Amino acid sequence: MSPSFPSSLFITLCLWFLSASANAYLRLPLLHKTPLPLPSPTQTLLSDIHRLKSRHRFVNSPVVSGAPSGSGQYFVQLRLGSPPQPLLLVADTGSDLLWVTCSACRHNCSSFHSPGSTFLPRHSSSFSPHHCFDPACSLVPHPNPNPCNRTRLHSPCRYRYSYSDGSMSSGFFSKDTATLNTSSDREDKLEKLSFGCGFQISGPSVSGPSFNGAHGVMGLGRGAISFASQLGRRFGNKFSYCLMDYTLSPPPTSYLIIGDEQNTISSNRKMSFTPLLINPLSPTFYYIEIKSVKINSAKLRIDPSVWSVDELGNGGTIVDSGTTLTFVPEAAYVKIVTAIKRRVKLPSPGKLTPGFGLCFNVTRVAKPKLPRLSLELSGGSMLKPPPRNYFIDTEEGVKCLALQPAGKEMGISVIGNLMQQGFLFEFDRDRSRLGFSRRGCAFA
Ligand SMILES: *[C@@H]1O[C@H](CO)[C@@H](O)[C@H](O)[C@H]1NC(C)=O
Ligand SMILES: *[C@@H]1O[C@H](CO)[C@@H](O)[C@H](O)[C@H]1NC(C)=O
Ligand SMILES: *[C@@H]1O[C@H](CO)[C@@H](O)[C@H](O)[C@H]1NC(C)=O
Ligand SMILES: *[C@@H]1O[C@H](CO)[C@@H](O)[C@H](O)[C@H]1NC(C)=O
């Protein structure tokens, strides 16, 4: 929960269920989509980098968030409205708001939009915007000016949600019924899910081909309006996911699980834990603390202060499912690159790969031996990802380090979704801790 919202406001975001089964949790299939037409991984990832590089300082605005990028994304299907309209949303732990692209179209909509390409609120009997004077409306950022007539029956709550790269979604903060599949293979009708009905969408990370056909973003952040917060009260205040390796064929299925599925599959996962920290100046994000970095077994001499959050709220490390690559402070990046270079006896490619600082030509070796990167986290746990989580094939025979320096203007380190692949991650919001396990994905 975000400390910046008075708790009385939470009550107004209550959820009502037509059916409720005890101890159920929510299991939503996570899909991975590759943009069409198929660009090279380098192109895809570079657009991600450009978006991230233009991040504003986080202190400038209360709701800037990790921009969801169109590449290497994980999607969740949500059915919204009565009757339900299926929508594909980017699963994003780096933002709070759930929003969908909306069209005010009432008649003959298929001549304006290809079927299923947008949410049609006028085709849903249960849709309504929050009133601008409704307490729920105070939970979203507003446009300026923000017309609101308290006495008018219909004066919708206007929102304007900005991402750190300047992308934004604006429209009416609304509510409608969501139809969800629970673990007990039942359909739950979730009334009054609050979401942004977006009429104006702009910016590279939420529109155009890079958004990859998504209908919106499912914000899973810490804030009161996020999908995780709204559903946490019904299913349990934690969520987990496994992001499967999307280069595998056929692509494996994985799930976003909201609530506690502990009774069913906890037995042999051997979870490690690290505290989730709160930065009051960026209450959306799930922060973790990196203590040190090892390459193979050698601890790098990195000043620990490069990992900390300063008094302006800059710095620190977040876990973000909506960003592909991993970003570390410049000082740490330089040390990591140097340490890897020293241990790898592979030639450099003939030409530079734009956007990547360290690449190897691996055409001559069948199984190149790459050093192991491990992150020591607060609480004593170690995140030891396999090399494929931080080395990617940018072209035939070329492997590049999928780590980027987080410049000053970015002001934050990010554990991106590539680094998270193959691990079960559990965001336990009540206990404020992140659990992770390399064994946890076997069931998915
Ligand atoms: C919608 O379609 C119907 C028949 O399919 C047609 O009679 C009507 O003129 C159309 N309306 C608009 C606004 O295009
Ligand atoms: C607010 O709405 C009421 C009722 O519709 C109307 O009488 C009043 O003029 C409106 N006030 C403003 C400032 O628009
Ligand atoms: C929900 O469950 C029904 C019946 O089990 C199934 O047909 C449908 O595909 C499921 N939908 C999603 C989004 O999982
Ligand atoms: C990698 O090395 C091989 C020969 O060792 C060479 O033919 C090839 O062009 C190199 N690839 C790149 C991208 O530099």
Side-chain angles (χ1 to χ4, degrees), residues 9-334:
L9 291 175
F10 281 95
I11 297 157
T12 66
L13 273 178
C14 276
L15 305 167
W16 288 268
F17 287 81
L18 296 180
S19 66
S21 41
N23 298 324
Y25 57 88
L26 192 60
R27 201 169 79 152
L28 304 167
L30 267 175
L31 318 165
H32 189 278
K33 278 181 48 174
T34 316
L36 291 169
L38 216 70
S40 74
T42 322
Q43 275 173 350
T44 315
L45 291 165
L46 279 180
S47 53
D48 192 31
I49 293 160
H50 290 312
R51 266 169 234 140
L52 284 157
K53 274 208 170 137
S54 55
R55 274 172 190 245
H56 299 306
R57 287 292 185 107
F58 292 100
V59 287
N60 289 347
S61 156
V63 265
V64 279
S65 85
S69 66
S71 56
Q73 289 299 4
Y74 292 87
F75 295 87
V76 177
Q77 200 196 64
L78 184 73
R79 285 171 293 162
L80 199 58
S82 311
Q85 301 177 33
L87 299 161
L88 206 55
L89 308 176
V90 172
D92 184 20
T93 60
S95 64
D96 286 329
L97 184 68
L98 189 163
W99 63 264
V100 302
T101 57
C102 275
S103 164
C105 171
R106 190 192 298 273
H107 299 298
N108 296 2
C109 293
S110 55
S111 52
F112 302 104
H113 308 281
S114 52
S117 64
T118 184
F119 181 64
L120 302 170
R122 284 176 162 161
H123 290 205
S124 170
S125 59
S126 45
F127 173 86
S128 67
H130 285 290
H131 191 276
C132 63
F133 210 74
D134 189 303
C137 190
S138 65
L139 297 174
V140 286
H142 306 298
N144 185 17
N146 180 29
C148 178
N149 186 332
R150 186 178 176 171
T151 54
R152 250 177 76 191
L153 189 58
H154 298 291
S155 190
C157 173
R158 288 163 207 276
Y159 79 91
R160 185 190 160 94
Y161 198 83
S162 307
Y163 294 92
S164 49
D165 68 342
S167 297
M168 69 101 199
S169 160
S170 80
F172 297 153
F173 191 49
S174 310
K175 52 188 187 290
D176 205 342
T177 301
T179 305
L180 306 160
N181 281 4
T182 64
S183 51
S184 39
D185 267 336
R186 292 176 48 173
E187 274 195 353
D188 262 17
K189 293 279 186 198
L190 165 61
E191 284 186 33
K192 299 191 170 74
L193 175 73
S194 289
F195 66 98
C197 192
F199 290 102
Q200 282 168 12
I201 318 292
S202 67
S205 60
V206 293
S207 61
S210 63
F211 202 39
N212 205 358
H215 303 114
V217 173
M218 176 184 279
L220 292 165
R222 286 193 110 124
I225 56 170
S226 85
F227 190 69
S229 300
Q230 292 191 58
L231 271 75
R233 269 171 302 225
R234 166 61 181 78
F235 292 100
N237 205 13
K238 61 164 74 165
F239 66 91
S240 56
Y241 57 67
C242 276
L243 306 180
M244 303 306 280
D245 183 347
Y246 60 82
T247 60
L248 296 180
S249 178
T253 313
S254 58
Y255 295 93
L256 168 67
I257 288 170
I258 300 200
D260 205 344
E261 28 64 284
Q262 210 149 71
N263 302 335
T264 29
I265 28 176
S266 70
S267 35
N268 59 355
R269 1 174 103 145
K270 290 238 170 92
M271 290 271 242
S272 302
F273 294 98
T274 190
L276 285 172
L277 309 172
I278 291 169
N279 175 356
L281 292 166
S282 293
T284 294
F285 297 142
Y286 296 99
Y287 282 87
I288 59 170
E289 190 183 18
I290 295 177
K291 290 284 196 195
S292 68
V293 179
K294 282 184 180 172
I295 296 295
N296 290 342
S297 51
K299 188 186 278 194
L300 305 186
R301 292 162 65 122
I302 298 167
D303 183 345
S305 71
V306 309
W307 302 109
S308 53
V309 177
D310 68 18
E311 64 283 1
L312 294 173
N314 291 311
T317 305
I318 62 168
V319 182
D320 186 0
S321 66
T323 291
T324 307
L325 300 179
T326 287
F327 292 78
V328 296
E330 191 102 42
Y333 177 78
V334 171

Side-chain angles (χ1 to χ4, degrees), residues 42 45-46 49 325 353-359 392 394 400-402 404:
T42 322
L45 291 165
L46 279 180
I49 293 160
L325 300 179
T353 306
F356 292 91
L358 182 62
C359 300
I392 52 170
T394 54
C400 295
L401 180 67
Q404 296 287 323

